[in-house]
Amino acid sequence: MSNLLETEKHLITLQAESEEKFLTELRSGHYTLESPLVVKNPYLINPLAAVVCFNTDEETTVQITVLGKAVEGDLTHTFAAAQEHVLPIFGLYDNYINTVVLTLGNGITSQVYIEVAELDVNRALYCHTSPEYFGKDLMLISSTTPLIESAKTVGFDYAGDLRWVITNKQSWDIKKLANGRLLYTSYRTVQKPYYTVGLMEMDFCGKIYKEYRLPGGFHHDAIELGNGNLLAASDNNFNISVEDYLVEIDRKTGKVVKSWDLLEILPREEGNAGDWNHHDWFHNNAVWYDKATNSITMSGRHKDAIINFNYDTGKLNWILGDPEGWGEEWQKYFFRNVTKGDFDWQYEQHAARILPNGNVFVFDNGTYRSKSEAHRVPPDENFSRGVIYKIDTEKMEIKQVWQYGKERGSEFYSPYISNVDYYGEGHYMIHSGGIATYRGKHTDGLGAMLLNKYNEEHIHLTLESITVEVQNDEVKYELKVQGGNYYRSRRLSLYDETTNFSLGKGEFLGGFGVTPEVGFKVKFKDIEGGVPSKHNVSLVLEEDRLALRATLREGSEVFLELKGEKESKFYSVPTVVHDVTAACVSFEEQSDNDFQFYVSREGLSGEFKIYLNIDNNRYDTQLIAKL
């Protein structure tokens, strides 16, 4: 007898149910300033957040102050006048009884105590700064090794105290949008090793207001444009290539309104970096738009190249990097070094951006520090750094004008991930997030991949990140965290004039489109007894797609069949193992023979029996999906 698959609720739905529950409680009870309703972790993924709810007879503002362990750690914000008050509380400490002071517009005050249990989270090994310099901001670092239970995405204050956390296995960059909310990756994957469904608009409570779902998924980086739209790194046809596609997303609908395919801009097999492979030939890890030149800048780790092209036409403007290995026809796009003194090209770089003065700022990972295998620099002698180049696009000349990190040698060496940030002239952040040592020696191995390589020897593997801020060449801040690698770092404030919390269920925008069916008749032989256990088949019905996961032999012919009342729909399940030389994030443990496949619910309606056809043998999964 077949079993009907229950729909797994999306986090947006679960959060809406949680919100409705505490709003029902608020509106059915008599909660006042002196006796408010306090809900810890109201949106399920941030145990260092809460909401405090109560009513007042008249409309009034409310000022909240989350008391720090020292007065410098106090966080204060005033909310607009209302009668029903649902106040988001950020910046709580764990393993601590937190005090929150509530002050009405007329000066009447009350205190709320919120106890938070101790969390299994990596702490700051040290944080060197001053409250005068760092103020009320937090340094957010996003986990690239969430398979380590303690390596969560977190935020630390000036004292190095944990004040923010996201418990979902999410990574990639976190940026603050103009509306005060955060741009963060979806928590759902769409393809190995780390491609996610899309992007989410989220607040510091962890509440999701929008999920932008993309047909080609999302990875690495996205930015907000002046018109409010989003530029996001995506994929076009995963079977052909990855990490060489860029899309612009309409903010209101989630639809892709413009796209750029790097296969139409660059050669696939010239200027290859040390970790190049045919499938992931460019490995874009940065997106930047420069209004002054109406151009887009992207960072190709597997080309050791930063590229810039026209937003409107896609025409290549320039390439920044070591020109070795590029054919003669491409040399005109490269800059000629005219620096007097210290100069290095960047290698396998990350987070390239254009500064207001036109300079290029990038995190130079320095991986191998050579195009030639014979001249590679060993990791114990290598370095990573933040570096600024001044470029002259008329003369095609380049000068190195600033750097930080080279002087620290291998201690600061991160062969992958990491980023830089710009606060103003002479004021920069440099985050070396992928530092790894094995048996005490620095390695070119990537922490997210070393976890699988040394899964029986983790005791010998040390992963850490170092985040530094420099102002006028003086180190004003340094944070070190051990126990994981951290993709990027972002200095943000929990409360400010853009704080934007509102009630209501989040929206699903964009979509995956209709999943293509195979264009031929599938032949099969029915096999009794269900799918063999060696295939480890998992079928999950989500609100917007059917997810298949299975262990399959590489190259086997596999079809997923949805058998309806009148006809069957067949979908080809790819079983090609692609070479992965740079797993920047490790969301889940998987072997090469673990495959994922998703069927969009768009265009499907009715009940379908689910069969799996493996090498012409048809197996009944004994499951039914109501779509």
Side-chain angles (χ1 to χ4, degrees):
M1 182 169 175
S2 296
N3 298 307
L4 186 66
L5 281 173
E6 290 189 16
T7 299
E8 182 180 90
K9 293 178 181 178
H10 190 283
L11 183 54
I12 283 178
T13 300
L14 295 172
Q15 289 183 344
E17 291 176 352
S18 175
E19 183 178 272
E20 183 59 33
K21 182 179 179 180
F22 71 70
L23 287 177
T24 299
E25 174 64 22
L26 168 65
R27 292 162 184 170
S28 65
H30 185 63
Y31 292 99
T32 64
L33 173 70
E34 294 77 17
S35 181
L37 172 66
V38 178
V39 183
K40 294 188 284 187
N41 194 11
Y43 296 100
L44 313 177
I45 61 172
N46 181 4
L48 298 183
V51 288
V52 173
C53 313
F54 60 93
N55 294 291
T56 50
D57 293 334
E58 298 178 352
E59 283 198 351
T60 178
T61 60
V62 182
Q63 181 190 78
I64 63 98
T65 300
V66 181
L67 297 185
K69 291 182 177 178
V71 67
E72 291 84 358
D74 289 358
L75 300 174
T76 299
H77 185 73
T78 300
F79 291 94
Q83 281 185 277
E84 181 180 81
H85 305 275
V86 181
L87 309 178
I89 307 299
F90 315 134
L92 302 175
Y93 299 92
D94 72 320
N95 194 27
Y96 192 72
I97 300 175
N98 296 268
T99 301
V100 180
V101 180
L102 309 173
T103 306
L104 300 186
N106 60 11
I108 296 175
T109 68
S110 181
Q111 291 189 352
V112 173
Y113 301 99
I114 305 175
E115 184 173 4
V116 181
E118 184 175 5
L119 303 176
D120 180 15
V121 175
N122 293 336
R123 311 286 162 162
L125 189 65
Y126 62 73
C127 182
H128 300 320
T129 191
S130 67
E132 293 76 22
Y133 168 76
F134 204 67
K136 306 297 185 180
D137 292 345
L138 297 190
M139 188 64 78
L140 274 57
I141 54 174
S142 53
S143 175
T144 202
T145 51
L147 286 180
I148 301 174
E149 183 63 26
S150 61
K152 295 178 174 67
T153 293
V154 290
F156 299 102
D157 67 9
Y158 77 96
D161 283 324
L162 179 71
R163 305 291 295 271
W164 188 77
V165 64
I166 291 294
T167 54
N168 262 9
K169 289 182 179 179
Q170 293 170 257
S171 186
W172 304 128
D173 198 8
I174 303 175
K175 290 187 172 76
K176 202 165 193 178
L177 297 164
N179 66 7
R181 292 176 182 151
L182 303 175
L183 185 64
Y184 197 27
T185 183
S186 170
Y187 66 98
R188 299 187 292 164
T189 58
V190 71
Q191 189 54 263
K192 293 196 310 183
Y194 48 53
Y195 306 109
T196 69
V197 158
L199 290 155
M200 300 192 312
E201 189 175 307
M202 183 181 85
D203 68 18
F204 281 108
C205 268
K207 177 176 179 176
I208 304 165
Y209 294 87
K210 296 178 182 179
E211 182 180 61
Y212 302 95
R213 300 164 299 172
L214 300 175
F218 168 75
H219 62 89
H220 282 91
D221 200 13
I223 61 168
E224 182 179 23
L225 296 172
N227 64 4
N229 285 354
L230 304 173
L231 273 186
S234 186
D235 291 320
N236 186 16
N237 186 333
F238 185 84
N239 294 322
I240 295 174
S241 62
V242 290
E243 306 192 30
D244 54 2
Y245 198 66
L246 180 68
V247 297
E248 180 176 342
I249 306 164
D250 184 294
R251 193 73 169 279
K252 295 178 180 178
T253 65
K255 301 291 186 182
V256 173
V257 294
K258 192 173 176 63
S259 62
W260 298 262
D261 189 342
L262 294 190
L263 282 171
E264 299 175 359
I265 298 174
L266 291 174
R268 188 168 189 156
E269 306 206 19
E270 296 195 40
N272 300 338
D275 285 316
W276 178 91
N277 71 71
H278 183 76
H279 192 235
D280 186 9
W281 65 276
F282 187 76
H283 194 95
N284 174 52
N285 56 44
V287 177
W288 191 260
Y289 174 77
D290 182 51
K291 183 178 179 180
T293 57
N294 189 35
S295 67
I296 292 172
T297 300
M298 297 172 70
S299 166
R301 181 183 193 265
H302 289 174
K303 292 289 187 184
D304 296 324
I306 301 165
I307 68 164
N308 178 273
F309 56 89
N310 184 274
Y311 167 89
D312 291 320
T313 66
K315 182 179 181 296
L316 184 64
N317 293 324
W318 48 259
I319 304 173
L320 195 161
D322 186 344
E324 181 182 341
W326 292 79
E328 186 61 34
E329 64 179 300
W330 298 96
Q331 294 300 314
K332 64 183 179 182
Y333 294 105
F334 285 87
F335 295 96
R336 180 174 61 89
N337 173 35
V338 294
T339 308
K340 294 180 180 179
D342 194 19
F343 178 90
D344 295 283
W345 292 116
Q346 87 290 344
Y347 292 89
E348 301 206 358
Q349 73 292 320
H350 283 73
R353 62 190 296 162
I354 307 297
L355 299 184
N357 62 6
N359 289 349
V360 180
F361 192 17
V362 65
F363 187 89
D364 169 22
N365 295 81
T367 315
Y368 310 127
R369 210 155 282 285
S370 173
K371 291 279 194 183
S372 166
E373 188 171 353
H375 297 101
R376 287 182 177 179
V377 176
D380 272 325
E381 299 173 19
N382 208 343
F383 62 91
S384 297
R385 61 185 179 146
V387 59
I388 298 176
Y389 297 108
K390 182 178 182 179
I391 58 173
D392 185 329
T393 56
E394 295 295 323
K395 297 180 179 179
M396 292 305 290
E397 293 178 345
I398 186 170
K399 292 180 181 179
Q400 181 177 301
V401 296
W402 185 87
Q403 65 176 332
Y404 176 87
K406 183 175 182 178
E407 68 279 14
R408 298 187 65 160
S410 61
E411 171 205 17
F412 203 65
Y413 175 58
S414 175
Y416 79 133
I417 59 174
S418 311
N419 71 305
V420 292
D421 211 349
Y422 171 86
Y423 305 143
E425 188 63 32
H427 194 189
Y428 315 118
M429 185 271 284
I430 311 96
H431 170 70
S432 185
I435 302 168
T437 59
Y438 178 66
R439 294 186 180 272
K441 291 187 176 294
H442 285 271
T443 172
D444 286 324
L446 314 185
M449 300 175 77
L450 294 174
L451 290 175
N452 286 328
K453 183 177 180 179
Y454 299 124
N455 61 350
E456 301 297 327
E457 303 177 83
H458 284 179
I459 191 171
H460 301 301
L461 180 64
T462 299
L463 305 179
E464 59 189 29
S465 76
I466 299 175
T467 307
V468 176
E469 288 188 4
V470 177
Q471 188 172 32
N472 299 324
D473 292 326
E474 179 185 354
V475 174
K476 304 288 284 186
Y477 175 95
E478 181 163 326
L479 170 75
K480 185 172 185 177
V481 179
Q482 286 186 339
N485 281 162
Y486 294 88
Y487 177 68
R488 285 191 182 173
S489 185
R490 230 23 107 183
R491 179 177 173 179
L492 299 173
S493 55
L494 290 180
Y495 291 110
D496 60 22
E497 67 280 357
T498 67
T499 295
N500 188 354
F501 172 82
S502 63
L503 300 172
K505 185 176 181 178
E507 298 179 88
F508 297 95
L509 298 177
F512 311 118
V514 176
T515 304
E517 299 174 55
V518 299
F520 54 88
K521 189 173 182 179
V522 177
K523 297 179 180 180
F524 53 80
K525 180 176 76 172
D526 278 314
I527 305 296
E528 298 293 329
V531 186
S533 59
K534 67 179 181 181
H535 293 300
N536 301 310
V537 171
S538 167
L539 283 159
V540 177
L541 183 61
E542 299 176 13
E543 292 186 26
D544 53 6
R545 62 181 186 171
L546 175 65
L548 165 70
R549 296 190 177 206
T551 302
L552 303 165
R553 178 178 56 81
E554 181 182 7
S556 56
E557 191 174 55
V558 180
F559 299 96
L560 179 67
E561 177 187 357
L562 300 182
K563 182 175 175 58
E565 186 176 337
K566 295 182 180 180
E567 62 176 348
S568 286
K569 295 179 178 293
F570 291 91
Y571 304 92
S572 177
V573 179
T575 58
V576 177
V577 176
H578 295 288
D579 189 16
V580 177
T581 51
C584 297
V585 179
S586 182
F587 284 123
E588 53 195 60
E589 293 181 14
Q590 287 183 322
S591 71
D592 284 347
N593 296 102
D594 289 337
F595 294 92
Q596 303 176 20
F597 182 72
Y598 301 90
V599 176
S600 169
R601 294 180 70 163
E602 292 182 43
L604 294 174
S605 179
E607 283 194 1
F608 297 87
K609 292 183 178 180
I610 305 174
Y611 296 86
L612 201 59
N613 184 308
I614 304 174
D615 293 328
N616 298 321
N617 291 326
R618 183 183 187 236
Y619 301 97
D620 187 349
T621 68
Q622 299 295 311
L623 294 171
I624 294 176
K626 188 173 183 179
L627 303 172

